Structure formats: structure tokens, C-alpha cells
Amino acid sequence: DVKVTQSSRYLVKRTGEKVFLECVQDMDHENMFWYRQDPGLGLRLIYFSYDVKMKEKGDIPEGYSVSREKKERFSLILESASTNQTSMYLCASAEDRGGEQYFGPGTRLTVT
Amino acid sequence: AQKVTQAQTEISVVEKEDVTLDCVYETRDTTYYLFWYKQPPSGELVFLIRRNSFDEQNEISGRYSWNFQKSTSSFNFTITASQVVDSAVYFCALREFSGSGNTGKLIFGQGTTLQVKP
């Protein structure tokens, strides 16, 4: 079974803090994704990566950056957290771009 | 532009009832994939099914079945004899094969919250 883990289930941070969300997958997948999920807006793609050290912007990259130094790990960075980044963050991985994406349990981030 | 619409925001049924979740999509691509995911209260999205645009055969997996009709751009999901454990948010998603689809990007619908009462 594919296993995607995220470093925290719940996180509370203050405005202006730098925040790191970590995602690890154990299936040697090349493709990894970061989404945020908000009520009424569904899931929106923030960034994705199709190889180590490669990254591409999704639909809403502003205020975020990512890092992929190892194949199994994809980190989402909030350079200076703001209250409008309070959300559920979901990481996913896929063997190939056409394949199904497997999701982690999510991190519910609150920025106060 | 690609788009996925799940018009039913919330559905409530009593256990053992059958329930159908609707999904309508828009795409200009002739090659695409459709997906259904389940998100239980725990929050993790669980993959249920993938369908490619060239395969219009309906699929059945236990109490779950899917009806794909290209003529109406629909990919509906039916749960037969629903159970309380089926209570979750269900998402339909589209991935195109060209353009932005090369990224593997999924376009999600807004989700349908299904509540199954005992």
C-alpha cells in the first residue's frame, strides 16, 4: 500500500512566522503535489514536483515555496504566514502524471 | 476551460438506501481521466476509481458502481445499500492529457457531503 505521511495533523502559527510542512511518501513516486482545501473552494493545487529538485507552480503559488531535495520528501514553505493561509493542506504522490494520486492525512494549519 | 461540477452539496439518506452522486465535467480534450475520491471525517482522501475517456464501460466494485457517459459528460457514482461508514465527502476529479494535464494536475469538483443515518 502507498503510504503518504505529513509531519503534523494540526499546527498553530503566528502571523509572520516561517512555516514548514513536510510530506514523505514511501512508494518511490516521482510526482508529488501540494493542495490546499477550503470550504466552498474545494481543492486547489499550490505546487507540484515531477522529479528531485524540479518544481512547478500550480494555481495558487503566491505566498508559498517548495523544496524537493530527495525523491521521497516534498516540503511546502510559507515564507511569512498570514491569516488567509489558514487552511487544510494536503500532500499527494503519484507514480506517473496520469495515474491516481495518493493523499496524506492532511495538516490543518491555523495562523493567528 | 476544464471544470468539474458536483451540483449536490449535501445528501442525507437512511441506511440501506441507494444513493447516486452526480458529477458533470467540461473539457476540450479527447483524452482525459476521471477520478472519484472519498474523504471521511479523518480528512485523508481515499482513491476510489480512475476511468479514462476511451473506456465507457460501467464499473462495479462491491456496493459501489460508476456510470460514465461521454454523451452527457457525466461520471456518476452510486452506492447501493448505503451504510453509516459511507458517510464522507466525495470528490469527482478530472485530469486532461494535454496542456495543463501534462502536469498531472487534477481538477476537483466542490465535493458532495453524504450523510448516512442509521
Side-chain angles (χ1 to χ4, degrees):
Chain A
D1 276 354
V2 177
K3 188 75 175 176
V4 180
T5 57
Q6 295 183 229
S7 49
S8 306
R9 290 302 302 270
Y10 300 93
L11 209 53
V12 179
K13 295 292 181 180
R14 293 190 180 274
T15 302
E17 279 192 77
K18 191 169 186 176
V19 181
F20 292 86
L21 303 183
E22 304 284 339
C23 175
V24 177
Q25 50 95 2
D26 66 357
M27 284 302 293
D28 205 35
H29 286 172
E30 293 187 347
N31 302 277
M32 295 187 75
F33 307 82
W34 274 107
Y35 294 87
R36 65 177 280 177
Q37 182 179 12
D38 301 287
L41 296 176
L43 278 83
R44 294 177 292 167
L45 181 65
I46 305 171
Y47 267 98
F48 65 96
S49 168
Y50 51 85
D51 203 351
V52 175
K53 296 193 186 296
M54 305 299 286
K55 60 185 179 185
E56 294 282 346
K57 293 179 180 179
D59 295 322
I60 51 165
E62 296 78 20
Y64 303 95
S65 62
V66 290
S67 171
R68 188 138 181 231
E69 296 296 320
K70 293 185 178 181
K71 193 174 188 180
E72 68 271 18
R73 189 179 297 269
F74 191 35
S75 302
L76 180 70
I77 304 157
L78 287 64
E79 297 291 343
S80 177
S82 63
T83 54
N84 64 12
Q85 292 178 310
T86 291
S87 186
M88 169 72 98
Y89 290 88
L90 293 159
C91 174
S93 74
E95 185 173 8
D96 61 71
R97 298 186 197 183
E100 54 270 26
Q101 294 181 16
Y102 294 92
F103 284 81
T107 295
R108 188 167 293 282
L109 172 67
T110 302
V111 182
T112 61
Chain B
Q2 63 270 43
K3 186 180 177 182
V4 176
T5 302
Q6 295 179 254
Q8 304 149 309
T9 306
E10 292 183 22
I11 301 176
S12 182
V13 299
V14 177
E15 210 170 16
K16 296 185 184 175
E17 281 186 40
D18 297 348
V19 58
T20 295
L21 309 182
D22 297 333
C23 173
V24 174
Y25 62 92
E26 294 176 31
T27 178
R28 285 185 228 165
D29 253 11
T30 55
T31 304
Y32 51 89
Y33 296 93
L34 294 164
F35 302 80
W36 274 96
Y37 283 86
K38 174 183 179 181
Q39 187 177 39
S42 61
E44 183 171 343
L45 267 81
V46 177
F47 165 75
L48 295 178
I49 190 171
R50 178 181 74 165
R51 232 346 162 225
N52 74 54
S53 53
F54 297 111
D55 184 1
E56 281 194 76
Q57 272 196 332
N58 291 331
E59 176 136 350
I60 298 175
S61 176
R63 296 184 296 107
Y64 295 171
S65 62
W66 290 270
N67 180 269
F68 176 29
Q69 292 197 344
K70 284 177 80 168
S71 61
T72 55
S73 298
S74 65
F75 186 42
N76 296 337
F77 173 31
T78 297
I79 302 174
T80 303
S82 60
Q83 299 176 2
V84 172
V85 294
D86 295 327
S87 297
V89 182
Y90 291 86
F91 290 95
C92 180
L94 163 73
R95 178 200 172 271
E96 295 177 332
F97 206 76
S98 61
S100 64
N102 277 331
T103 67
K105 172 183 170 180
L106 290 178
I107 307 297
F108 284 88
Q110 297 299 312
T112 297
T113 300
L114 174 65
Q115 184 182 33
V116 181
K117 298 178 182 176

